[in-house]
Amino acid sequence: MDLLLRQASLIDGTGAPARPAEVAVSGGRVVAVAAPGELTPAAETEIVDLGGLTLAPGFIDVHTHYDAQILWDGDLTPSSWHGVTSVIMGNCGFGVAPTRPEHRDTIMRILENVEGMSLDALDSGIDWCFETFPEYLAALDARPKRLNVGAFLGHSPLRAFVTGGEERVATPEEIKRMREIVREALDAGALGFSTSRQPAHQGAYGRPVPSRFAEVSEVYELVSVLGELGRGVVQVSIGPGLFVDQFSELATRYNVPVTWTALVARADKPGAALRTVERGAALPGEVYPQIACRPIVMQITMDDPVPLAEIDEWKEVLARPRAERADLYRDQTWRDRARPATLAAWSHRWPKIDVEETGAHHDAVGIPLDRLAAERGTTPFDLMLDLALGDTELTRFRVVLDNDGDAEVGDLLADRRTLLGLSDAGAHASQLCDACYSTHLLGHWVRERGVLSLEDAVWRLTGQPAQAFRVAERGLVQEGFHADLVAFDPATVGTTPVERVRDQPGGADRLVVRSTGIEYVWVNGVATRTAGKDLPDAAPGRLLRARTA
């Protein structure tokens, strides 16, 4: 054996109770799991005494947008700081491949407007050493990376590639070509197919993202390829024509797992999320609604007002270059048109919006915008614009979007019919950082709130996503499985306060959160973190490929 882990409290990812154990690793795989003292190391075996730490499978993050970041950050931070050993990219129908050279700017602008990525970072960081999806996967496979990575084929770049970016229904010939590309992608190792019908997904120049121009029948045609091949997962961002009834139909007709986003707890609709779980569970098929374990809180600026994109008047904002958006905010005619819809759509949010960072309005920091507006004799809509226009720096507003009720989120976490996801790691980098969801789950929901047992929480992070997303031979500490492992201290595991750093290509900033209590990490049997410190230049990650059920 290469490695022997001793004095561990093993939680194996199945949901079974923790037990004292030692684990042997050889050739990057677990070769033995035994009671303490049963395994005899060879002279050359590395022995690590874990001193009673909890040893678990490496965490699997099923909902990331690292498609671009991996091209400049092989460490995939901050996910790698939080016990995550495998990430899945290409969610919500987005990605960077397939992309023809003439569409690169459009694809980057889609990621800028929908996923809040810095255009400067994308333009500086993507080397465009690929055009087709198989070429993109080959580039990922060849790159040194700290974590295992898998990717969906996204509907929006696929559609732009085939239709030339035209905003229309696809022809039968184009659908046939898209089906061929889906097949090529799956044969090359894509984990499945993702799409979006979400009305808030306004892409380049404020236009709907390409997948929103597809008829629902087109989605069925493309998913049918997964059924024919007997492998792959479908991921959908919900919208008109695709909801729980259609997910059940897709899952049963093509015998594929379907996962959808996002199931969130909303203060203005108490109990609605759990009712949706019940409605979906009453239907046949393997369908997983994805939930978040953290409040969905964003820092937004008026030069990047992504959460407002579902309101028609704000689509006009996103259609303009960032440098010209302030001109629209000064236009009283536009304000008069945008005010009623914005006040109504965010009526339940204004009490949960305040100034968090500013260069000029320090007296406004932390005061709910609706209360501040009332004191100043204006509306929260106008106040938000006026504060932004009156600051020579970026005024950043803290906006609580959803999942702000601990009780209902706890109920969703305790319901085993839901799937933990929605970290959005790699996206919205300057607006939020939920890549720390795994350590937040273990610290807040297990240790502090007691909503989940430690064993159930580990299953949520490992065994369940491995099964739902067909991640082969990972997600369990079991003989023959890849040795993706994390050792953590249940008494201290958690998150640090959020920080803003400037470490992205083009000088772009982002928010990061670091971990506490994550002491050791191994990926494919290779140590990437020891005694709470990341090991430099560790790159044992591999490309994850789809498997059959």
Side-chain angles (χ1 to χ4, degrees):
M1 66 183 76
D2 302 326
L3 173 68
L4 178 60
L5 307 179
R6 283 181 161 166
Q7 300 299 316
S9 174
L10 177 64
I11 298 180
D12 64 11
T14 65
R19 65 187 191 274
E22 53 189 31
V23 175
V25 174
S26 184
R29 291 183 181 261
V30 174
V31 293
V33 180
E38 288 188 358
L39 300 178
T40 303
E44 68 277 8
T45 301
E46 178 187 0
I47 300 173
V48 179
D49 186 336
L50 294 178
L53 292 173
T54 294
L55 180 65
F59 307 147
I60 300 172
D61 188 344
V62 298
H63 194 109
T64 81
H65 292 277
Y66 279 129
D67 311 72
Q69 184 178 324
I70 191 173
L71 299 173
W72 65 76
D73 173 23
D75 285 342
L76 293 166
T77 58
S79 291
S80 57
W81 303 337
H82 294 273
V84 173
T85 57
S86 295
V87 298
I88 297 174
M89 315 178 298
N91 284 277
C92 304
F94 305 126
V96 294
T99 298
R100 301 185 194 280
E102 61 267 29
H103 299 147
R104 290 172 182 169
D105 182 69
T106 297
I107 291 298
M108 289 190 294
R109 290 181 183 276
I110 288 173
L111 295 175
E112 177 193 31
N113 273 354
V114 177
E115 297 299 344
M117 298 183 191
S118 162
L119 188 61
D120 288 340
L122 295 170
D123 195 37
S124 300
I126 301 176
D127 60 10
W128 297 110
C129 61
F130 52 86
E131 183 170 323
T132 68
F133 197 82
E135 289 170 347
Y136 174 67
L137 289 186
L140 298 187
D141 200 14
R143 267 176 163 75
K145 46 197 171 292
R146 186 173 289 262
L147 306 183
N148 305 307
V149 298
F152 286 116
L153 171 65
H155 197 179
S156 280
L158 168 64
R159 230 175 173 273
F161 191 82
V162 172
T163 68
E166 295 182 11
E167 299 179 343
R168 56 172 173 77
V169 172
T171 66
E173 292 76 18
E174 288 168 336
I175 291 176
K176 179 181 178 183
R177 179 60 185 140
M178 281 190 270
R179 280 176 46 85
E180 292 171 350
I181 294 175
V182 171
R183 184 177 293 270
E184 291 169 358
L186 288 164
D187 286 343
L191 291 186
F193 169 76
S194 70
T195 188
S196 172
R197 308 286 292 182
Q198 175 55 249
H201 283 169
Q202 297 294 126
Y205 310 106
R207 300 296 302 157
V209 296
S211 64
R212 289 181 55 202
F213 291 99
E215 294 183 320
V216 173
S217 59
E218 178 180 311
V219 175
Y220 276 64
E221 286 280 354
L222 300 180
V223 171
S224 71
V225 179
L226 280 64
E228 293 166 8
L229 294 175
R231 63 179 182 273
V233 180
V234 180
Q235 190 273 327
V236 182
S237 187
I238 59 173
L242 279 181
F243 198 42
V244 291
D245 295 302
Q246 290 74 36
F247 301 152
S248 172
E249 187 175 37
L250 286 167
T252 54
R253 180 181 297 184
Y254 302 116
N255 193 30
V256 295
V258 178
T259 181
W260 61 271
T261 57
L263 181 66
V264 295
R266 292 184 54 173
D268 60 325
K269 296 182 178 180
L274 287 167
R275 290 192 293 273
T276 300
V277 173
E278 293 293 341
R279 178 184 164 193
L283 299 171
E286 188 179 355
V287 178
Y288 300 92
Q290 284 187 38
I291 60 170
C293 67
R294 288 169 59 82
I296 300 176
V297 179
M298 297 184 75
Q299 281 192 4
I300 70 167
T301 64
M302 288 299 96
D303 74 336
D304 189 20
V306 172
L308 287 156
E310 61 187 320
I311 302 170
D312 285 343
E313 288 76 12
W314 287 87
K315 296 172 186 174
E316 300 173 39
V317 176
L318 293 175
R320 294 192 173 202
R322 290 193 182 197
E324 298 177 12
R325 291 172 182 176
D327 296 336
L328 202 57
Y329 300 149
R330 295 187 182 96
D331 184 338
Q332 289 300 319
T333 301
W334 178 83
R335 281 201 188 195
D336 291 342
R337 286 192 292 109
R339 186 181 298 109
T342 308
L343 290 173
W346 276 25
S347 60
H348 62 295
R349 289 184 176 146
W350 296 117
K352 296 177 287 186
I353 301 176
D354 57 61
V355 174
E356 190 159 40
E357 295 182 27
T358 178
H361 309 297
H362 301 290
D363 59 334
V365 172
I367 303 174
L369 223 55
D370 62 337
R371 176 154 61 90
L372 194 62
E375 292 172 357
R376 299 187 181 187
T378 185
T379 72
F381 162 79
D382 290 284
L383 179 60
M384 184 167 62
L385 297 179
D386 291 338
L387 290 172
L389 290 171
D391 197 346
T392 55
E393 300 179 25
L394 283 177
T395 292
R396 298 183 186 275
F397 299 91
R398 179 182 183 271
V399 181
V400 179
L401 294 173
D402 290 302
N403 261 28
D404 56 328
D406 255 19
E408 190 167 2
V409 175
D411 290 340
L412 291 172
L413 283 170
D415 194 315
R416 294 170 72 92
R417 296 170 296 186
T418 63
L419 181 71
L420 185 60
L422 300 181
S423 83
D424 261 6
H428 308 293
S430 68
Q431 300 165 331
L432 57 77
C433 180
D434 285 345
C436 59
Y437 78 104
S438 56
T439 46
H440 177 81
L441 179 79
L442 296 169
H444 179 72
W445 290 107
V446 175
R447 184 178 63 248
E448 296 171 10
R449 293 294 309 279
V451 168
L452 294 175
S453 69
L454 197 57
E455 291 86 350
D456 280 344
V458 168
W459 172 75
R460 277 264 187 221
L461 295 167
T462 60
Q464 188 192 24
Q467 169 57 33
F469 277 67
R470 307 298 194 256
V471 181
E473 298 176 330
R474 301 183 194 273
L476 303 177
V477 181
Q478 183 173 301
E479 290 181 17
F481 273 49
H482 297 282
D484 296 340
L485 303 164
V486 57
F488 63 91
D489 181 357
T492 61
V493 67
T495 62
T496 65
V498 65
E499 311 168 46
R500 187 174 296 280
V501 298
R502 288 191 172 274
D503 61 355
Q504 297 295 280
D509 66 283
R510 63 171 177 157
L511 296 174
V512 298
V513 173
R514 303 179 193 277
S515 68
T516 58
I518 299 291
E519 297 299 323
Y520 295 87
V521 178
W522 294 267
V523 178
N524 297 305
V526 176
T528 63
R529 186 178 182 93
T530 298
K533 301 292 183 181
D534 281 345
L535 300 176
D537 303 319
R542 298 176 186 169
L543 182 68
L544 303 175
R545 301 179 187 274
R547 67 170 172 86
T548 54

